[in-house]
Structures are given as structure tokens and as C-alpha cells.
Amino acid sequence: MSGGPVILALDQSSTRTGYVRGRPEGPVVLGSYSNGACNEQYGKALLRYEAWLESMLDGVDLLAFEQPVRPFQSLNLHTARLLYGIAGVIEMVSERRRIDCFEVDTGEMKKLIFGKGGKKPDESVAKRHARRWGFDASNGDEADAAGVFLFTIQHQYPDAFDRWLDRRAAA
């Protein structure tokens, strides 16, 4: 990849993190990281996440991530601990590495990529929406990461976002 900043966009969940890595105008690479079961060993799980994240950051200029689910939503304590812990790890690593960090509003991201906010669509619908934007997502977390990437481009690099709109219109 040459020219322009490199963005790593993350859609983290308690079990799997989808990611999109690339420049504002492309090309991009999509993938997933399996968090694995932590069996309430949160420290070990967060250390594994930190090691994975560190391995992804060479050459990255901007780290974008989906905000954790809001605490007033129904959420069990186990999932909440993981999601907020992962968000803390992301912000801590970006600070340590002096990489700009951008938190993406989940509802706004969903409106952008899926056409409406609220509940996430089922996986097949999410992947179809991601493909319309030019992302070949293999699961729902990668589709959401594509949304995080697009939202970041829209707000941080609006000229490049126009090109993504052109691609979507051509699809």
C-alpha cells in the first residue's frame, strides 16, 4: 500500500474482532481475530488481545474502533467487562504507540453502511451491504468493520469518501 495514511478499523465483540486495514482510497484488507473463550480470566484475554493488536499496528497512522455498547442496554456483566476492557486496550495501545485514535458511534456507523441505525442486521444482510460498498466481508464482524472504516473516511478524509460513494453508486 502506498500513499496516504493507513487506517486500521475495528469492530470488536466479546468473541471476534473484524478488521479493515487500508488507505482512505483503498485498497483494503479484511480479516478477523477470534478472541477465544476467556472463562472469566479477563486479564489473560485482554493480554492476548493486546498482543494481537500490537501485531497489526506496524505502519498504521489511525486506529478506528466501534464504541462499546452503551451501558444502559441489556448486557450481561461478562460481555460488558470484555467489551469495555477491549476498548480500553485499544485506547491504551494507541496512546503508547502515539497512533491517532478515533471512536466511531455505532448508530451512525450502522446508518451509513446498512441504511438504518438500531439493531444490527443478520449476517447475510450485513455482508450484502458491505459488498455494495466494495468490501468482501466473510462475516458480520468484518461487515461492521467496513462500516467503521467508511465512517472514519467520511469524517476524517471526506474527499476520499466521495470515491467510496462513487463505487457504491456503480455497484
Side-chain angles (χ1 to χ4, degrees):
M1 292 185 249
S2 64
V6 174
I7 300 165
L8 179 62
L10 305 173
D11 170 65
Q12 67 279 5
S13 74
S14 61
T15 58
R16 180 175 62 199
T17 294
Y19 66 86
V20 174
R21 180 186 169 113
R23 300 188 186 282
E25 295 176 5
V28 297
V29 175
L30 284 75
S32 299
Y33 165 74
S34 175
N35 300 345
C38 83
N39 301 319
E40 297 188 8
Q41 295 180 344
Y42 303 104
K44 285 182 182 180
L46 295 174
L47 283 170
R48 284 192 310 261
Y49 195 90
E50 178 185 17
W52 169 78
L53 182 59
E54 285 281 359
S55 75
M56 297 294 293
L57 290 178
D58 286 342
V60 170
D61 302 295
L62 177 62
L63 180 56
F65 70 102
E66 182 179 29
Q67 69 183 188
V69 65
R70 292 181 178 94
F72 58 81
Q73 294 173 323
S74 70
L75 185 66
N76 70 50
L77 180 59
H78 174 74
T79 302
R81 285 186 68 179
L82 281 172
L83 291 177
Y84 279 88
I86 288 170
V89 166
I90 291 167
E91 292 175 316
M92 177 189 70
V93 168
S94 70
E95 183 68 25
R96 181 188 310 132
R97 299 272 301 250
R98 290 184 168 82
I99 296 172
D100 289 335
C101 193
F102 182 68
E103 184 176 16
V104 171
D105 180 273
T106 302
E108 294 299 314
M109 177 275 291
K110 288 178 184 175
K111 285 179 194 174
L112 174 63
I113 191 165
F114 302 131
K116 63 179 183 168
K119 187 178 176 188
K120 179 179 175 177
D122 72 273
E123 189 165 288
S124 64
V125 172
K127 290 185 329 187
R128 186 174 67 240
H129 280 279
R131 278 192 300 274
R132 290 175 56 207
W133 285 93
F135 297 90
D136 189 20
S138 62
N139 58 57
D141 294 305
E142 290 177 15
D144 272 6
V148 171
F149 184 85
L150 287 170
F151 188 88
T152 302
I153 301 303
Q154 183 183 41
H155 290 272
Q156 300 290 317
Y157 310 98
D159 292 341
F161 183 71
D162 290 342
R163 292 184 179 93
W164 287 97
L165 286 173
D166 292 344
R167 290 177 196 158
R168 183 173 184 264

